[in-house]
Amino acid sequence: MLVDFNTLPEESRIWIYQANRSFTDEEIVELESKLETFISNWTAHGTDLEAGYTIKYKRFIVFALNQSLTKATGCSIDASVRFIQQLEKDYNVDLMDKMNVSYKQGDFIAYKTLLDFKKMAKEKAVSKNTIVFNNLVNNIAEFNENWEVPASESWHSRFLK
């Protein structure tokens, strides 16, 4: 059952998929339609899942699931992964590679491989104050508080000396 992302409880589980490029305005319209269709039909053992989504910065697709009603199952998670993999093919974009880093450079969202980010940290091209996206957050509360944070407050801090 599709619900507005902003109405879901703070303990709702989330999954964040970051794209290696920004989506165009036209792609966003298509993505929203596909996401609404998928989530409207998303189930766990035949039971509707109360879930929503948001797209941030034209680059991040965030699913949220109210697990206090129905928990995700292996099959429902597999279905969402297959859906994301199909989006990767449809838009020629990488959404599943967790070994990449997104961070802010002014109003621009930069995307680098983890290796490049480490090199930039070593060269002081990014600092402890660089705003990074911590895609390891688990629920909406963490997403709201700890998703966009200075690198010093994230797992990224291990690369900053």
Side-chain angles (χ1 to χ4, degrees):
M1 168 178 45
L2 175 65
V3 297
D4 184 312
F5 182 90
N6 297 312
T7 65
L8 287 162
E10 286 197 324
E11 62 274 7
S12 296
R13 182 174 176 186
I14 63 167
W15 293 267
I16 301 172
Y17 300 97
Q18 72 179 358
N20 60 330
R21 65 168 177 83
S22 295
F23 290 105
T24 66
D25 291 338
E26 294 79 18
E27 288 173 330
I28 296 284
V29 171
E30 289 177 17
L31 274 172
E32 288 174 340
S33 176
K34 290 177 181 185
L35 285 159
E36 289 169 14
T37 299
F38 172 76
I39 292 174
S40 294
N41 295 299
W42 197 22
T43 62
H45 297 299
T47 303
D48 284 345
L49 295 173
E50 184 178 272
Y53 75 91
T54 187
I55 299 173
K56 295 286 192 176
Y57 300 109
K58 296 184 176 185
R59 187 178 284 263
F60 300 91
I61 298 172
V62 184
F63 281 5
L65 171 63
N66 181 354
Q67 292 204 120
S68 65
L69 296 177
T70 308
K71 294 205 182 314
T73 62
C75 292
S76 59
I77 292 170
D78 288 349
S80 68
V81 169
R82 282 191 305 274
F83 172 73
I84 293 295
Q85 288 171 329
Q86 187 59 52
L87 292 179
E88 286 182 316
K89 291 176 187 166
D90 292 348
Y91 296 99
N92 193 27
V93 65
D94 182 4
L95 293 164
M96 300 287 289
D97 192 340
K98 304 292 186 199
M99 296 305 294
N100 294 312
V101 177
S102 291
Y103 60 95
K104 285 188 174 178
Q105 281 187 318
D107 292 335
F108 179 73
I109 306 299
Y111 179 90
K112 298 288 183 193
T113 66
L114 189 55
L115 198 59
D116 285 344
F117 187 81
K118 286 180 187 178
K119 184 178 175 188
M120 290 175 69
K122 190 175 183 180
E123 295 169 352
K124 308 276 191 242
V126 292
S127 74
K128 64 182 178 149
N129 298 320
T130 299
I131 301 298
V132 295
F133 296 92
N134 178 10
N135 296 324
L136 301 179
V137 294
N138 293 306
N139 60 43
I140 289 177
E142 289 178 14
F143 178 72
N144 291 334
E145 296 294 319
N146 299 312
W147 180 55
E148 287 183 59
V149 292
S152 62
E153 297 175 25
S154 174
W155 63 268
H156 304 82
S157 64
R158 71 184 79 166
F159 307 121
L160 305 165
K161 303 281 185 219

